Amino acid sequence: MIANEEPVIANSLWSATANPTPDCPPLRGAEETEVAIVGGGFTGLSAALHLAEAGIPVTLLEAETPGWGASGRNGGQVNPGLKEDPDAIEARFGPEMGARMVRLCGEAADLVFSLIRRHQIDCAGQQPGWIQPIHSEKARKTVTARVEQWARRGAPLRMLSKTETADLLGTDAYLAGMIDERGGNLHPLNYALGLAWAAQKAGARLHGQSRVTGMEQQGAGYRLTTAQGSLTARRVLLCTNGYTDGLVPGLARSVVPIRSVQVATAPLSDNIRRSILPGGHSASDSRQLLLYFRLDPEGRFVMGGRGDYSERGTQAQMERLRAASIDMYPQLEQADWAHAWGGFVAMTADHYPHLNRIGPGVVAAVGYNGRGVAMATAMGKVLADWARGTPEAELDYPVTDLRPINLHFLRRPAVSALLAWYRLRDRFAF
Ligand SMILES: Cc1cc2nc3c(=O)[nH]c(=O)nc-3n(C[C@H](O)[C@H](O)[C@H](O)COP(=O)(O)OP(=O)(O)OC[C@H]3O[C@@H](n4cnc5c(N)ncnc54)[C@H](O)[C@@H]3O)c2cc1C
């Protein structure tokens, strides 16, 4: 179970099968460091690891334990790229910065798997590729353009026929698909815990149960306060994503947290297991409200999709995911659904992650729009570059001013209306 979480979204497969958590005592008394990191998910842990490896004193403060947020709860699908495709990224950000961003997000999955190998992280990481099954003719056009644009840049993506897609998925529920061979999957919580162990080993200090409740400028740096201690630092990295609280005015209003939920079976029999995604791929489909699914290493089927803010709505959504799984794989009819859990993803108005300038010596990285296993790891490396003094213009991601979303207080009804609209579009494929 996920500690300190609402019961309806706490029964996580990943928590039930987690490796030991490194010792991360709460911050007590007054400490000093060069770089302070707030938030211990992939973003903060990757930044801590890259800084510690560069010999920079770094201390990370996490409100709960490493990987407690989205990083320890997600689908474990390591998908390269951003929501927009390379041509659109380069058109929006210009040929130079755009090309750097395309390289960063295109290589982000490789970064994850190279960290796993280098630090021998025990998280069942494998890179057989990510499949995007196509649900409509309109989506076929979008996915075909995606494949063409990445292939033009030398990336290993290709379209799959209906038969190839059905063979790789074990269901003929889709019109066709594409495979991106850079992608893969892993046990997300064990990946986060492995990053935490590696960061500590490299010299980073990690404190759990240390929610930062205050941040004030002090001399050339900042003083962060927690319930039992304080930390002064020259630079601060805010890595709180969908769990951003009121610590920094405006930051929480720059993202819309949306619940994503998953359900998982108990380990399946060998026969059934061999009939679903037999090549070990993970899949996330082309719908607006996408379904994402895979097996875990012990042969549990895991299905994810959008959640809801209320307990009843969340339960209903979990039931829909079980029904969608059985529609696709009737052999799951008798399966024992042992786990159901969820967490917050952070959406942004432009669908891009934001690397925001908060003040002198303070930046925040938030808003992976539900695709952060690879990208948050890559962004952590960019944050480490920034904290080491790399000029903004030379970073691989643009640093922008904080832009709170207008009428943010209306986010819940707005999200509900948008989800209803997307559901219609997905159902009638327009
Ligand atoms: C159910 C679900 C499924 C998903 N599936 C996928 C997937 O398959 N593939 C993919 O690429 N992405 C997926 N995502 C998205 C991905 O998990 C996130 O983009 C990524 O984990 C973000 O990492 P992060 O480190 O930025 O934030 P998080 O992991 O959310 O970490 C933020 C941390 O900040 C801490 N915090 C907040 N405020 C404070 C404070 N004041 N002081 C101290 N600590 C604080 C929180 O406790 C939290 O641990 C999914 C997300 C969810 C919820």
Side-chain angles (χ1 to χ4, degrees):
M1 292 286 170
I2 302 169
N4 293 331
E5 185 50 280
E6 284 177 55
V8 67
I9 55 161
N11 181 9
S12 158
L13 163 61
W14 311 127
S15 300
T17 54
N19 291 333
T21 302
D23 190 25
C24 301
L27 177 71
R28 289 204 176 88
E31 273 192 27
E32 274 179 31
T33 188
E34 179 71 13
V35 182
I37 298 176
V38 184
F42 299 144
T43 309
L45 292 167
S46 166
L49 173 59
H50 285 100
L51 284 166
E53 283 189 317
I56 312 278
V58 53
T59 299
L60 182 150
L61 303 176
E62 161 57 46
E64 300 284 342
T65 47
W68 182 87
S71 298
R73 311 171 182 218
N74 58 68
Q77 302 207 10
V78 191
N79 302 344
L82 292 169
K83 180 136 187 182
E84 287 205 319
D85 290 320
D87 287 358
I89 298 174
E90 289 181 9
R92 191 191 281 248
F93 294 94
E96 206 195 307
M97 177 53 83
R100 269 190 263 161
M101 292 166 72
V102 169
R103 199 169 50 245
L104 181 79
C105 70
E107 292 173 356
D110 286 339
L111 172 67
V112 169
F113 290 104
S114 74
L115 288 173
I116 291 171
R117 280 191 300 274
R118 184 145 59 87
H119 298 285
Q120 299 182 348
I121 297 177
D122 171 17
C123 64
Q126 53 166 356
Q127 205 172 2
W130 156 54
I131 297 172
Q132 185 171 37
I134 295 171
H135 78 289
S136 73
E137 286 305 330
K138 186 170 175 218
R140 190 198 294 267
K141 287 200 188 94
T142 311
V143 175
T144 305
R146 173 164 310 138
V147 168
E148 186 276 316
Q149 290 179 29
W150 278 111
R152 207 179 335 121
R153 289 164 175 85
L157 279 79
R158 65 189 165 84
M159 293 300 288
L160 300 169
S161 67
K162 180 167 173 65
T163 316
E164 283 175 302
T165 307
D167 287 349
L168 289 174
L169 298 180
T171 173
D172 61 4
Y174 290 94
L175 299 180
M178 71 115 194
I179 183 162
D180 182 340
E181 284 168 2
R182 300 168 299 180
N185 52 75
L186 45 67
H187 184 305
L189 181 52
N190 284 343
Y191 172 53
L193 295 173
L195 288 176
W197 283 104
Q200 278 188 334
K201 198 166 157 208
R205 302 180 78 143
L206 269 53
H207 293 289
Q209 266 72 50
S210 299
R211 177 175 295 281
V212 180
T213 51
M215 181 170 97
E216 61 191 29
Q217 226 167 339
Q218 194 177 70
Y222 289 84
R223 182 166 177 272
L224 310 185
T225 42
T226 65
Q228 302 178 65
S230 69
L231 176 67
T232 48
R234 218 167 57 81
R235 294 190 169 212
V236 182
L237 308 177
L238 300 166
C239 309
T240 48
N241 207 43
Y243 292 86
T244 301
D245 57 17
L247 180 65
V248 169
L251 186 58
R253 280 192 292 125
S254 72
V255 292
V256 175
I258 292 188
R259 214 178 238 180
S260 186
V261 294
Q262 290 176 89
V263 293
T265 66
L268 300 167
S269 70
D270 283 350
N271 271 351
I272 296 185
R273 182 179 172 164
R274 274 195 296 269
S275 67
I276 299 174
L277 291 158
H281 300 94
S282 42
S284 43
D285 74 18
S286 56
R287 291 185 170 87
Q288 296 277 356
L289 299 181
L290 60 95
L291 294 172
Y292 51 97
F293 49 100
R294 56 173 289 197
L295 291 178
D296 87 339
E298 282 74 45
R300 300 174 180 90
F301 181 75
V302 186
M303 170 63 90
R306 284 283 173 253
D308 192 279
Y309 292 119
S310 74
E311 184 176 330
R312 255 184 56 202
T314 298
Q315 277 164 343
Q317 185 55 21
M318 288 167 167
E319 198 43 51
R320 274 192 210 115
L321 291 177
R322 291 182 200 108
S325 307
I326 296 166
D327 271 356
M328 236 188 267
Y329 298 106
Q331 60 272 46
L332 294 176
E333 178 81 58
Q334 301 302 324
D336 167 18
W337 294 93
H339 300 278
W341 72 102
F344 280 121
V345 301
M347 311 302 281
T348 54
D350 60 6
H351 304 300
Y352 279 88
H354 294 169
L355 177 50
N356 286 141
R357 212 175 275 125
I358 302 295
V362 187
V363 290
V366 292
Y368 301 100
N369 290 270
R371 203 194 266 199
V373 178
M375 197 55 205
T377 305
M379 193 66 98
K381 191 161 181 277
V382 175
L383 287 175
D385 289 341
W386 176 86
R388 292 169 68 187
T390 304
E392 282 183 9
E394 290 172 27
L395 293 173
D396 287 336
Y397 206 86
V399 186
T400 50
D401 288 333
L402 189 60
R403 273 166 298 161
I405 295 170
N406 287 336
L407 303 178
H408 189 266
F409 65 95
L410 291 175
R411 65 196 177 283
R412 289 200 172 192
V415 166
S416 301
L418 197 64
L419 293 186
W421 169 241
Y422 283 161
R423 222 167 271 137
L424 267 181
R425 283 185 57 173
D426 287 339
R427 174 170 298 180
F428 297 106
F430 62 92

